[in-house]
Amino acid sequence: MSKKDKQTVTRFLDEADSQIARQEVVFMARSSFLPPPKELKEYEEILPGITDRLLSSFEKQQEHRFALEKNTVFTGSKQTLRGQILAFILGLITIIGGLYLISQGKDIQGYRLLIGTAATLVSVFIYGKHQNKKERIEKARLNPEKN
């Protein structure tokens, strides 16, 4: 490459550099609703009283979230208790029905009803225990720092 060609290339590159615009994208993420203290101070300078309003809003949101969680847990407990009571009543009725059939001389049907009921109740209990264990393992996997 000749000296003249090198000068042409250099001049071309210089012109290209002057025409290229620089663009930056800055991404900030925070794990909290509230901005860092430095930003809060800057917001307060721009709009006095904003910090109190933000903190008040944050506290209201926390109270609301806690109330929702409390209601969810209470409703779930009520439904579980209702299901257990209904399962107990149903199991008791079928066991009484099986005993009645046996007392009426229908031994095969009575024993079948008793054994079927007992097997169903035991299998539901074992399945429930298995599901609870699986759920605890999954929660532990998702939140390892809480163990």
Side-chain angles (χ1 to χ4, degrees):
M1 186 183 296
S2 70
K3 191 173 188 179
K4 186 177 178 184
D5 290 339
K6 285 183 183 179
Q7 288 175 347
T8 306
V9 169
T10 304
R11 193 175 65 240
F12 175 76
L13 289 175
D14 289 341
E15 287 174 14
D17 281 344
S18 67
Q19 293 177 2
I20 294 176
R22 183 174 176 180
Q23 182 179 13
E24 283 186 38
V25 177
V26 177
F27 176 75
M28 268 180 50
R30 47 175 86 110
S31 62
S32 171
F33 164 74
L34 296 172
K38 183 180 176 186
E39 279 185 43
L40 272 177
K41 184 178 179 185
E42 292 171 2
Y43 285 132
E44 190 66 32
E45 289 172 1
I46 296 169
L47 187 61
I50 190 70
T51 304
D52 290 334
R53 293 196 330 238
L54 280 173
L55 289 174
S56 175
S57 175
F58 180 72
E59 289 168 352
K60 286 178 185 175
Q61 177 64 27
Q62 284 292 96
E63 289 172 9
H64 177 67
R65 187 178 309 137
F66 290 151
L68 285 176
E69 288 176 7
K70 183 178 178 181
N71 186 28
T72 301
V73 169
F74 178 72
T75 302
S77 296
K78 265 178 42 178
Q79 287 178 339
T80 300
L81 180 63
R82 187 180 308 132
Q84 289 173 341
I85 290 171
L86 290 175
F88 174 76
I89 291 170
L90 185 62
L92 193 62
I93 289 171
T94 54
I95 289 172
I96 290 171
L99 292 173
Y100 175 76
L101 287 173
I102 292 171
S103 72
Q104 295 299 313
K106 299 184 183 207
D107 293 342
I108 294 174
Q109 293 90 345
Y111 285 122
R112 184 180 292 166
L113 190 59
L114 285 175
I115 292 171
T117 301
T120 301
L121 292 175
V122 168
S123 63
V124 167
F125 176 78
I126 291 171
Y127 177 77
K129 287 290 184 181
H130 178 70
Q131 287 299 106
N132 287 343
K133 182 178 179 184
K134 212 160 85 170
E135 188 176 306
R136 283 193 310 271
I137 290 170
E138 183 66 19
K139 283 182 182 178
R141 186 183 66 78
L142 293 175
N143 299 316
E145 68 276 354
K146 291 186 179 181
N147 292 330

